[in-house]
Amino acid sequence: DNLVKEFVKEAHSSGVDIFRVFDSLNYIDNLLFGIEAVLETDGVAEGTICYTADLTDPSRPKYNLDYYLDLARQLVDAGVHILGIKDMAGLLKPASAKMLVSALRREFPDMPIHVHTHDTPGMGVASMIAAAEAGADVVDCACDSMSGMTSQPSMGSLLNAFKGTDLDTGLDAERVLRLSAYWEQVRAQYGQFESGMRSGSSEVYEHEMPGGQYTNLKFQAMQNGLVEQWEEVKGAYRMGNKILGDIVKVTPSSKVVGDLAQFIVQNKLTEDSIVDLAPKLDFPQSVVEYFQGYLGQPPGGFPEELRRGVLKGKPTVSGRPGSDMEAFNFAVEEGKIVDKYGKEAMSELNVISRALYPQVFDDYYEKKKKYSDVSILPTKAFLRPLETDEKIVLDVGKGVKAEIVFKAVGDRQANGCREVFFELNGLPRVVEVVEESVAIGDALSMAKEKANPSDEGSVGAPMAGQVIDVACKPGQDIKAGDPMVVLSAMKMETTVSCPIDGTVAHVAVKSKDNVAIGDLLVMVEQ
């Protein structure tokens, strides 16, 4: 709790005025704590309802109008300044937008209402017009060149739709178009990271995947060797949501569903078999922690049979997860940063950053130690190799510039390195670099020992990924359920547990090894 409050305090002092407080399960205890933290800093608290399902569908009564109104009442009673509706997947259809916003406006006539959506199904403009006409004060949109699909609906379309009406925004459409032209050029630089979508897709009404997750999950599936099974992953996402109890899906609960979807495809599971096999399966860490209650309590509770199978006796939390946690020790975290990266890396902002995202922070600083400050590179030079005789000019300090001209790359040497030739401020230079693609290829091409599916003590990798921790060693006595190896694939972590009581006879992997599904991790003898 003290870490959350310190983060809000630091964010507010750094210039954040409005805090959109939402919870990935709409769990009111989490929401109330977040609102309290914002109000203590004198920030503007936007209490947010995460929208899911379909208000117009009577077959899904869990998320009906009464559900959303009851949540809104609790947020208003907590003292929020704004009511937000966060439609993270673009599921809010025009009729639903009218129904929900109208009901909120009737009950809270003086409360500002803010609606956020994604345009994945191509319905965003129509839905935002309906929301505005029903009484919303703010609707989110994006510059035309950055809008549509998994982004927000088009700003230009909305401005023109409202022009000359009582909802006219007064914004200058010509100036907005100039912004759009700029961002069109910027977007082209990052084209390689696009999701591959070419149009809106009403399929989102089936799988309900958040717009912000679609691109990330597709890339994650590609890294996990599932790109050819992307359609299956989307189908498994829908099935995973149903298995989990039809939950609200937004970071981090959406990650739970995404990790489970890939796990289902990798292990060829069905809706029935996953429940039957759960006691013998090592689920992704995010799924385990969800069932432990680490995100909070979902509407309607957990599916208990699956929960028992996934947890295998692990402890659970029944209330707000943070309420029983020990206070975060900032002094210890400061010491870790100084020890690893030196006093120059110490700042209040860095302490909070590493406390919240330790792996991301460490990855960033390790890269910075290795490559220095790459933010001075032009975007094109950062993302793609320079062409022969291409020149870039870098600002390396106050009044100091470096002119670099790329000349050539030498042949690969026996040690796996290449010489790179360039000019620095007109003088010839050469550096030797390791060809990382060769090193990675060599590591992946090494034959790995396979687990024997008929031998219960032969424990194989349940997914492709990298070993990030080995928690056992040869000769160690081990019990069923004890953790042995932690695997990670694009931030999807899985702890592989021992299936039987016995003794560790052989550990086939070490930290940072890459493994494929079925590769032997540990051999246990009874």
Side-chain angles (χ1 to χ4, degrees):
D1 284 3
N2 67 325
L3 175 57
V4 172
K5 291 189 175 185
E6 195 63 30
F7 164 77
V8 173
K9 178 182 173 183
E10 180 69 18
H12 188 255
S13 66
S14 298
V16 177
D17 301 307
I18 303 172
F19 292 81
R20 180 185 292 168
V21 181
F22 69 93
D23 181 72
S24 70
L25 297 172
N26 280 341
Y27 181 47
I28 190 63
D29 288 4
N30 284 345
L31 284 163
L32 294 178
F33 175 71
I35 292 164
E36 176 190 317
V38 173
L39 296 179
E40 286 180 2
T41 66
D42 294 325
V44 176
E46 180 174 313
T48 305
I49 300 163
C50 290
Y51 180 83
T52 193
D54 183 359
L55 271 179
T56 63
D57 184 357
S59 68
R60 299 180 71 179
K62 178 189 281 191
Y63 301 105
N64 58 21
L65 187 59
D66 287 339
Y67 166 81
Y68 291 113
L69 286 176
D70 181 62
L71 186 57
R73 292 182 192 110
Q74 294 179 77
L75 296 176
V76 171
D77 288 344
V80 300
H81 304 101
I82 304 170
L83 269 179
I85 300 169
K86 182 176 173 64
D87 174 28
M88 49 280 171
L91 303 178
L92 189 66
K93 300 172 184 177
S96 301
K98 181 179 179 180
M99 186 187 305
L100 180 55
V101 175
S102 295
L104 290 172
R105 177 52 68 221
R106 281 194 300 272
E107 186 149 350
F108 309 108
D110 300 320
M111 177 65 67
I113 297 174
H114 177 190
V115 185
H116 170 88
T117 191
H118 289 258
D119 200 24
T120 309
M123 195 84 77
V125 170
S127 294
M128 294 305 96
I129 291 173
E133 290 177 342
D137 299 281
V138 182
V139 297
D140 285 353
C141 51
C143 286
D144 293 4
S145 59
M146 300 290 281
S147 69
M149 296 182 287
T150 57
S151 180
Q152 279 66 56
S154 161
M155 181 185 295
S157 295
L158 286 170
L159 292 184
N160 282 283
F162 295 139
K163 188 175 181 180
T165 72
D166 292 341
L167 298 173
D168 196 325
T169 63
L171 292 174
D172 187 332
E174 188 175 327
R175 294 179 69 183
V176 170
L177 284 175
R178 288 207 298 271
L179 284 174
S180 182
Y182 167 78
W183 286 108
E184 186 172 14
Q185 296 176 16
V186 173
R187 181 172 180 172
Q189 295 286 325
Y190 295 88
Q192 68 195 77
F193 302 108
E194 297 272 358
S195 68
M197 290 183 71
R198 295 290 182 265
S199 64
S201 173
S202 59
E203 185 183 34
V204 71
Y205 295 124
E206 300 298 320
H207 56 64
E208 300 184 352
M209 195 182 297
Q213 184 182 28
Y214 190 96
T215 308
N216 292 340
L217 186 60
K218 189 172 185 180
F219 181 70
Q220 189 182 48
M222 180 180 69
Q223 295 297 104
N224 292 339
L226 298 174
V227 68
E228 299 297 328
Q229 297 164 281
W230 176 236
E231 293 301 316
E232 292 179 48
V233 172
K234 287 190 287 185
Y237 192 97
R238 179 186 183 186
M239 185 174 82
N241 175 54
K242 183 180 178 182
I243 290 169
L244 293 170
D246 190 9
I247 64 174
V248 178
K249 293 167 290 297
V250 61
T251 307
S253 60
S254 55
K255 181 183 184 327
V256 175
V257 184
D259 287 354
L260 181 59
Q262 293 178 89
F263 184 78
I264 287 169
V265 174
Q266 287 174 323
N267 291 278
K268 299 178 173 59
L269 299 170
T270 66
E271 193 173 329
D272 292 327
S273 69
I274 193 171
V275 177
D276 295 337
L277 296 174
K280 297 181 180 180
L281 295 171
D282 289 307
F283 285 83
Q285 193 66 24
S286 63
V287 178
V288 175
E289 291 179 351
Y290 164 75
F291 278 116
Q292 286 183 280
Y294 287 3
L295 301 187
Q297 304 298 306
F302 296 98
E304 288 302 329
E305 185 179 0
L306 179 59
R307 190 186 196 191
R308 286 192 299 272
V310 171
L311 294 185
K312 306 173 185 65
K314 290 183 174 66
T316 60
V317 177
S318 58
R320 185 171 67 82
S323 61
D324 295 326
M325 295 176 67
E326 292 184 8
F328 185 79
N329 193 321
F330 290 97
V332 170
E333 191 66 29
E334 290 172 8
K336 290 178 181 177
I337 291 175
V338 172
D339 289 344
K340 291 190 74 170
Y341 306 112
K343 290 183 178 179
E344 63 275 9
M346 241 306 298
S347 70
E348 189 171 355
L349 185 61
N350 277 356
V351 171
I352 294 172
S353 297
R354 191 174 190 276
L356 293 170
Y357 300 104
Q359 188 60 53
V360 174
F361 183 92
D362 286 345
D363 286 348
Y364 169 73
Y365 262 87
E366 291 298 334
K367 291 286 195 303
K368 192 172 181 180
K369 280 170 63 177
K370 185 175 182 179
Y371 298 111
S372 189
D373 181 12
V374 296
S375 68
I376 64 173
L377 290 171
T379 300
K380 183 174 179 291
F382 177 80
L383 295 175
R384 288 177 285 279
L386 297 180
E387 297 177 5
T388 301
D389 291 327
E390 184 176 354
K391 179 177 73 175
I392 58 174
V393 180
L394 308 179
D395 289 314
V396 294
K398 192 172 183 179
V400 181
K401 295 184 180 293
E403 182 180 285
I404 299 172
V405 181
F406 170 66
K407 304 306 290 185
V409 176
D411 294 333
R412 186 165 81 93
Q413 302 170 22
N415 62 359
C417 295
R418 290 180 185 266
E419 289 183 325
V420 178
F421 301 89
F422 61 98
E423 291 179 358
L424 175 61
N425 293 334
L427 298 176
R429 292 283 188 270
V430 60
V431 293
E432 189 176 73
V433 297
V434 176
E435 189 170 18
E436 291 189 5
S437 60
V438 174
I440 293 170
D442 290 345
L444 292 176
S445 65
M446 291 175 62
K448 294 270 195 317
E449 192 176 355
K450 293 294 181 181
N452 180 0
S454 63
D455 183 351
E456 198 174 9
S458 180
V459 182
M463 67 178 196
Q466 186 178 66
V467 177
I468 60 173
D469 187 37
V470 178
C472 62
K473 57 186 178 182
Q476 174 184 334
D477 290 333
I478 196 165
K479 293 185 178 298
D482 286 352
M484 295 191 300
V485 176
V486 180
L487 301 177
S488 178
M490 290 297 297
K491 299 181 181 178
M492 182 174 79
E493 288 191 8
T494 297
T495 299
V496 180
S497 303
C498 185
I500 57 175
D501 293 344
T503 303
V504 177
H506 173 51
V507 177
V509 293
K510 62 183 183 302
S511 181
K512 297 189 178 178
D513 276 0
N514 293 302
V515 295
I517 294 176
D519 284 354
L520 180 67
L521 301 177
V522 180
M523 177 65 74
V524 179
E525 293 179 347
Q526 288 182 304

